[in-house]
Amino acid sequence: MAPRANWKGFLRLSLVTCPVALYPATSESEKISFNQLNRQTGHRIRYVKVDADTGDEVPNEDIVKGYELEKGHYIEVSKEELEEIALESTRTIEIDEFVDKADIDPRYLIRPYYLRPDGKVGHDAFAVIRETIREMNKVAIGRIVLTNREHIIALEPMDKGLVGTLLRYPYEVRSEQEYFEEIQDVKITKDMLDLARHIVEQKAGTFAPEKFEDHYETALIDLINQKRAGKTIRPNDRPKGENVVDLMEALRRSVGQKASQTVAAAKPAKKPKKAAAGQKEMLMPIAGKKTAGKEASAKKQASGRQRKSA
């Protein structure tokens, strides 16, 4: 079952309009998450909204937004006042222009959404907009209001629908100069580049997300399973960083190391374990249930053998 839509409204290209719904394209619900507990009681910690001066808890209906002009001095803005400045993009994604995908700086990308027709009407208009973008091999740029903020959204076809990626505004992207200006200008020899290029060619592959493994998530699951089983937790050795003294020697060793790995990889590999559907399937069952069953079965078989020999 598809999740609830984050937004519903209309997609418009000039006079062509259709009702659409926007859905999150990513999810982190399968990741291990923790609650904060009181170490003394084991109870969960609950956060409450309190008045900073009186310390009294404040109910939601008495909470308003405020912009701080100076320390301790605010201008209050009500929900009704915010609704009065609602933009057209609150209900409509207006396509403003078409650009080449290569022109979009990756620093401006925020998060992806799926866009599809909403209801039984408007599929024809949606298909016209989608196939126009596909045929032109462009990305459509529009505007949308999410969480009371207007965002720029880049639309491109995917199968029968559209993928919309929210983009940052220029003032949200920091200049690279303040980080890169102190990087030294160095001269790289052709031999170094040749060796580095050889390493890259040996590691060349295709983008296949199914090969990615979240090692930290796996370590968290292993930690939880060990604690549930009552095992003693022993810290792993931390990786040590090494300073490169001879860059040329490091490149040569890298090439040789990759060659030996290639030979090892040519040997028949063990059949990989089937990837779990999610973290819950990887967590161990309640400790003791299966073990107790096996022990009972073993005792029963041993008892039967004793009676038979008697």
Side-chain angles (χ1 to χ4, degrees), residues 18 51 90 92 118 142 186 191 199 282 308:
C18 62
D51 188 299
T90 303
T92 302
D118 184 31
V186 296
D191 289 342
I199 296 171
M282 296 178 69
K308 188 175 181 180

Side-chain angles (χ1 to χ4, degrees), residues 257-267:
Q257 183 183 54
K258 184 61 182 177
S260 62
Q261 290 174 349
T262 302
V263 173
K267 298 179 180 178

